[in-house]
Amino acid sequence: MRINKTWKAITAVLLAAGMLLGGCGSAAQEKTQADSEAAGAAAASSVETVEETVVENVVSESAAEEKGEEAVIDTVSASSVETEVQAAAEKEDVIRIGALSGPTAMGLVELMDRAEAGETVNTYAFAELSTEASAFVAPLVQGELDIAVIPSNLASVVYNKTEGGIKVLAAAVLGVQYIVERGESIQSVADLSGKTIYATGQGAVPEAVLRTVLKGNGLEMDTDVTMHWCADTTEALSYVAADEAAIAMLPQPFATAAGAKVEGLHTALDLSEEWKALDNGSEVVTAVAVVRKAFAEEHPEAVASFMEEYRASAACVESDPDTTAERIEKYGILPAAALAKKALPSCSIVCIEGEEMKTMLSGYLQILADNDPAMVGGSLPKDDFYE
């Protein structure tokens, strides 16, 4: 079976799109791997079909495969930061920024492009984009990065690990998880009753999001809905490709790429919208922009200028999707501008600050903590976490 590089590139984005939601991850990886190995010949055949017929026509580039990585600070080396960022460490006038690839970095591409052209107020050095949620944690903790755009629950973990050493500047990405199917059986959350859902993210944030939405609609996971946890999104999609009645939970931009290639595959439910419908005082906040507290205190004007430029950059996603899509391809976030443009409306890129950000984020973290305190680092952040 031939491995398609484009599929791996899109899959890699998932850690930064959907699986990044897992933040601290879980011990469920061994179980999901066992499930994957036991999936059977039908699933294996479906994967081959996906690789040969679904992905064949998507433009090719390569990237790392999706992994359910645990964001453990102590195991991350500062060498994960790009050399040019390390070289900039001694220059006080350079702001060093890190971000995950995928939707998390999409709101930065206009700023990255202008910084490269020398057209920004501040001077920026951007670390190499990564699909590993933990890649910038140690450099951020050790003061080798000043600002980072990372999963919101990971930001809470870092806050706790550093005893309040970072704070949130803005919500950067809202919900990116979608229920997809090839048929028309799912018109509401209630329609998931009695169904099997193929998904990734067991024991992590994707599971918590789905569990919360189900419970808010009177359904219990594993009682009213059967979960088939997969090792990665490629496996989850293979079941949908093989069975017209199958249902999956997929993150963006993977869901868009898959929908363009699997006949009849479409979004049945936007879990972010379903979460909002619960009216619980929060929203799904996938990622946030954070700053080291010490840096913010020492360079308030530089941080204020960054926020002005970051707001403008995030706004370009909606105001100029064509150029944004080209930049997304330029920086290797997705392999093709056409795919990026199609996925952008569903990637939930925002720049939300102040009380609005605090309300939606604090409520979201509270619900994650109610599911599993480890997801937020053991305890909820204090008020100084919110800028």
Side-chain angles (χ1 to χ4, degrees):
M1 179 170 61
R2 184 165 59 86
I3 298 176
N4 188 287
K5 291 184 178 181
T6 301
W7 192 246
K8 293 176 71 178
I10 295 170
T11 302
V13 172
L14 302 180
L15 182 59
M19 288 306 293
L20 64 81
L21 292 167
C24 293
S26 76
Q29 294 303 313
E30 293 181 4
K31 180 181 184 303
T32 56
Q33 181 63 36
D35 289 344
S36 176
E37 293 174 356
S45 175
S46 297
V47 173
E48 188 163 349
T49 299
V50 168
E51 289 181 345
E52 296 297 329
T53 65
V54 176
V55 189
E56 191 65 35
N57 297 321
V58 183
V59 191
S60 64
E61 287 291 341
S62 64
E65 294 188 27
E66 178 195 67
K67 293 184 287 185
E69 201 80 56
E70 186 172 10
V72 181
I73 294 175
D74 294 340
T75 64
V76 184
S77 169
S79 64
S80 62
V81 179
E82 192 176 18
T83 302
E84 67 177 276
V85 175
Q86 293 175 322
E90 297 179 358
K91 299 180 180 180
E92 294 184 359
D93 60 339
V94 175
I95 299 179
R96 301 155 300 172
I97 300 176
L100 288 169
S101 191
T104 307
M106 289 178 182
L108 280 170
V109 293
E110 189 265 355
L111 178 57
M112 294 168 66
D113 201 38
R114 289 197 301 110
E116 188 177 314
E119 299 172 352
T120 54
V121 174
N122 293 319
T123 301
Y124 300 106
F126 288 89
E128 184 178 359
L129 298 178
S130 173
T131 57
E132 302 294 339
S134 59
F136 304 117
V137 176
L140 184 64
V141 170
Q142 296 168 9
E144 294 170 359
L145 285 176
D146 305 311
I147 292 172
V149 187
I150 58 177
S152 57
N153 67 306
L154 180 57
S156 179
V157 172
V158 175
Y159 172 88
N160 282 313
K161 289 286 186 180
T162 59
E163 298 181 345
I166 65 168
K167 58 183 181 178
V168 178
L169 295 170
V173 183
L174 300 183
V176 295
Q177 295 286 345
Y178 291 78
I179 298 295
V180 300
E181 65 170 342
R182 294 171 66 186
E184 299 292 340
S185 65
I186 307 302
Q187 303 296 320
S188 68
V189 176
D191 293 333
L192 293 174
S193 180
K195 305 293 186 182
T196 295
I197 301 176
Y198 298 94
T200 59
Q202 183 181 21
V205 176
E207 177 180 346
V209 169
L210 180 57
R211 187 181 294 276
T212 299
V213 169
L214 291 173
K215 189 172 182 178
N217 286 270
L219 301 178
E220 291 294 334
M221 186 179 288
D222 301 322
T223 299
D224 300 302
V225 176
T226 300
M227 298 302 302
H228 184 113
W229 296 107
C230 301
D232 55 41
T233 46
T234 303
E235 182 193 344
L237 183 61
S238 73
Y239 291 101
V240 179
D243 181 359
E244 292 186 0
I247 300 164
M249 177 175 68
L250 299 177
Q252 292 293 352
F254 189 94
T256 294
K261 301 302 173 183
V262 177
E263 184 178 359
L265 187 68
H266 64 278
T267 295
L269 299 174
D270 177 346
L271 291 184
S272 184
E273 290 300 317
E274 298 300 333
W275 180 292
K276 285 196 293 186
L278 300 179
D279 195 23
N280 59 19
S282 71
E283 289 194 39
V284 176
V285 183
T286 298
V288 293
V290 301
V291 62
R292 287 191 299 111
K293 187 176 181 180
F295 181 84
E297 291 173 348
E298 293 169 8
H299 306 283
E301 293 183 359
V303 174
S305 295
F306 164 77
M307 284 308 300
E308 289 183 9
E309 296 186 301
Y310 181 48
R311 286 185 209 107
S313 184
C316 278
V317 173
E318 183 174 352
S319 65
D320 192 356
D322 289 326
T323 304
T324 299
E326 291 170 3
R327 288 166 171 155
I328 288 171
E329 179 182 356
K330 173 183 176 179
Y331 291 107
I333 298 171
L334 284 176
L339 172 60
K341 183 179 179 181
K342 189 170 184 179
L344 275 173
S346 299
C347 286
S348 305
I349 312 302
V350 297
C351 181
I352 299 173
E353 307 165 66
E355 285 300 315
E356 183 181 4
M357 174 272 289
K358 180 179 180 180
T359 298
M360 64 170 59
L361 178 57
S362 61
Y364 176 64
L365 293 177
Q366 177 68 68
I367 292 173
L368 293 186
D370 291 342
N371 277 269
D372 181 359
M375 289 186 188
V376 298
S379 62
L380 291 169
K382 298 178 181 178
D383 285 344
D384 65 346
F385 179 62
Y386 305 95
E387 172 68 4

